[in-house]
Amino acid sequence: MAREFQGPKGTRDFYPRDMALRRHIEAAWRQSSVVHGFEEIDGPTFEHLELYTVKSGEGIVSELFSFRRAGGEDDYALRPEFTPTLARMVAAKAGGLPHPIKWFAIPSHFRAERPQRGRLREFLQWNVDLLGIDGPQAEVEVLSTAIVALERLGLSPADVRVKISHRGVVGAALRSLGVPEERTADAFALLDRRDKLDAASFTARAAEIGLGGTDGEKALEAFARVARARFPAADAAQAVCAATNCSAADAAPLAAVLDGLKASGMDEWCEVDLGIVRGLAYYTGAVFELHEASGGERAIAGGGRYDGLVEMFGGPRTPAVGMGMGDVVLALVLRDRGKLPADDGESLLPRPDAFFISAEGEASDRLLPGMLSSLRRDGLHVRQSYKSTRNVGKLLADAGKCRARMAVILGAEVAEGMVQVKDLDRNEQVMVAVADLARHLRGD
RNA sequence: GCGGCCGUAGCUCAGUCGGUAGAGCGCCGGGUUGUGAUCCUGGAUGUCGCGGGUUCAAGUCCCGUCGGUCGCCCCA
């Protein structure tokens, strides 16, 4: 009894063209990682459930695919993010790893959320982490790695903006505005939601955290200024002080990152956005998000400094900066910006070096297998027809359809050890000795 | 977890007032003129997403469910 199956909700099937697009994106990620000196790692697809609850609390469980082996007693979860695995791996070998640790990974992740634009239940996320560096160089290198990957994919500062903030700087600004220490978390949450709230709700909530009343009017205005402050990175240090009323010393950590980005020639991509907060509590310094320029999409990437995380997983205190970039939003942006081939990825599939047409009959049929094997052992990508027709026109159509560069026609002249080789791009045909075929196809 | 819209061939879709399915394209095979074309010819794929209900009769109306899509919550 035949039965039809659907893939699970929020998952994708990668047919050859889809896979070619995926490899295209992964190649840019991997290339940029490698040239920046990061080394590739991976970990298990599932971990002990506690690895995730210890950091994010029990509430995270409803967002996970967790399970217990039949008859077993251990709870596991498919990994929803890579950072805990990374922290575990670092903590396990902390003493023996040369610093700084520069690792990247391109694993799949799983989250039990309802799919919508830019969000699926299984997705790829490129993770770049640099551990062991206290200074702003870490932030600069991680962001630079992300930017160079986007450049490789054809994006420019007109397409994507790198928005940078700093928890310490914003915290100092909030203190100087009179936000009590115990309401800082609420203030961060309000900053995060600033674009989703209308002015009245924003004002009401600002009042709840101690920025209301007659006395608070000025403070409220200042807070609104912090919430809206965005400026290009070029002269950002002064602008931060001006916008937040905080001292140059308070603004210094953010300014140092901005200076580093400028020195690296990345400042055209970057701007300060003090509204960037990030949901995670474990960020301890700089935080950043990469957004499509019009702001219409979910974040393309996000990250920041998390100096306490390795310690949380049992290792020594280790300064760290990390970044994650998902494939789903990135692919949407690339498509909308016309940076993907219009043929759904067909042009990203590997092109055969040659397509063989046995036109003569039994004589050429007998020669074909040996010729193909020999060329394949030489590393050439060669294909043949599986049709029984000898219709050369029809077989050439097949050759064109699989995008072969050359067609090799085995006609009557095989008796003299010669074949016809047709350049399908240039529509030129020459006679080549079988002995010279590999060299000819390789273009030597 | 909540809500809107959608679901007929591989794709795009048609299907009237309810009368148990069609087109185009594509795909696959064969033939002809030996050179990616043209021409001729043959073929396949559907429990109309799935299940139930109403009805003499359901692709069509109703309910549920699964999936897709967009939004809310959340977003590591």
Side-chain angles (χ1 to χ4, degrees), chain A residues 190 193-206 228:
Chain A
L190 185 52
R193 294 182 52 77
R194 71 205 182 285
D195 286 335
K196 293 192 172 182
L197 297 171
D198 56 51
S201 314
F202 184 86
T203 304
R205 302 223 184 165
R228 303 279 165 197

Side-chain angles (χ1 to χ4, degrees), chain A residues 63-84:
Chain A
E63 309 288 337
L64 300 178
F65 285 103
S66 58
F67 58 94
R68 180 177 289 193
R69 183 176 66 81
E73 293 183 354
D74 294 322
D75 292 310
Y76 301 103
L78 297 180
R79 65 179 164 213
E81 60 170 326
F82 192 68
T83 307

